Amino acid sequence: IKLNASNLEEHNKHIMGEKIQECHNLGKDPVIDADSETQTKVGAGLLFGLSGLLLGGPIIGLLAGAGATYVASNDEGPAGDAARATGEFAVTTGSKVGEAAREANEEHGVLDKIKKAFSHGWGKVQELDKDGKMGEKARETVHGAKQKTVEFEQKHHVMENLLTGIQHGVNFLLEKVRDVTSETCSGNTSNSKSSS
């Protein structure tokens, strides 16, 4: 093999192609079966969906869950990697929590105790509410609390401000992930930036 400009250029293209491929495959196991990929995508959707539900309600939860599943399925960049990593975390954590709950239930009969406590509590509620007035008062209280909550939100825009803050935080984190990923994939480090 002669060392000339065209051979050197071909060699560099080959080496750079491998490095770029390595950057896209960071943290990926080369042997991933379809079930694991599906679980990861579903895990990302569930985790982001539940977070969105808790923070912004059902519509935000639905959008966050669908968006995370889509990104985990279709985005090969840093956002997709982050969504897949989050999905893997959700699946792993969920399976560990489920296993621990199953073991605790087998050992201590937790579900039976919960069922007994609930049925005892419900019996007490029915006993106290013989006239049916407690249910009526509860509905009135809930309706009043709902109205006060809506008025407070319209006046102070708490959810709007909260969601704006979350959006700024997510944008900040995504920008940092993009910066780190582009530095890693381009071979730049913070040392090379400071020396130039």
Side-chain angles (χ1 to χ4, degrees):
I1 298 176
K2 289 184 177 183
L3 183 61
N4 58 31
S6 64
N7 286 344
L8 184 59
E9 187 176 319
E10 186 65 33
H11 171 76
N12 288 342
K13 283 182 184 176
H14 178 72
I15 295 298
M16 286 308 294
E18 287 176 0
K19 286 189 178 186
I20 289 170
Q21 188 62 34
E22 286 174 14
C23 284
H24 287 295
N25 291 332
L26 283 177
K28 292 183 181 177
D29 184 1
V31 183
I32 297 177
D33 61 342
D35 288 342
S36 176
E37 283 185 25
T38 301
Q39 287 178 349
T40 298
K41 294 169 190 173
V42 169
L46 284 174
L47 188 63
F48 280 96
L50 287 174
S51 299
L53 176 66
L54 293 173
L55 295 173
I59 294 173
I60 300 296
L62 180 64
L63 292 173
T69 303
Y70 178 80
V71 169
S73 300
N74 298 323
D75 191 340
E76 292 300 323
D81 292 341
R84 284 184 289 279
T86 303
E88 288 173 16
F89 169 78
V91 169
T92 303
T93 304
S95 65
K96 287 180 182 177
V97 168
E99 182 65 25
R102 185 183 61 74
E103 288 175 7
N105 184 46
E106 288 175 359
E107 190 174 321
H108 303 288
V110 175
L111 285 179
D112 289 334
K113 290 177 182 177
I114 291 172
K115 287 178 188 176
K116 286 178 186 176
F118 182 76
S119 109
H120 179 72
W122 184 248
K124 290 287 186 183
V125 167
Q126 287 179 329
E127 186 179 308
L128 288 172
D129 191 26
K130 292 177 185 171
D131 303 348
K133 292 183 181 179
M134 280 181 56
E136 202 174 298
K137 286 183 182 182
R139 278 190 291 279
E140 289 172 5
T141 303
V142 168
H143 181 72
K146 176 184 167 188
Q147 285 180 323
K148 294 285 183 187
T149 303
V150 169
E151 289 171 9
F152 185 83
E153 173 58 31
Q154 288 174 344
K155 183 176 180 180
H156 299 288
H157 306 285
V158 174
M159 285 305 294
E160 181 181 340
N161 294 335
L162 177 67
L163 291 175
T164 301
I166 290 170
Q167 180 182 13
H168 290 307
V170 168
N171 288 339
F172 174 79
L173 290 174
L174 285 174
E175 193 62 38
K176 291 298 179 187
V177 168
R178 283 187 198 115
D179 290 347
V180 168
T181 305
S182 66
E183 286 176 8
T184 303
C185 288
S186 66
N188 293 337
T189 62
S190 57
N191 293 338
S192 64
K193 278 187 173 181
S194 62
S195 64
S196 40

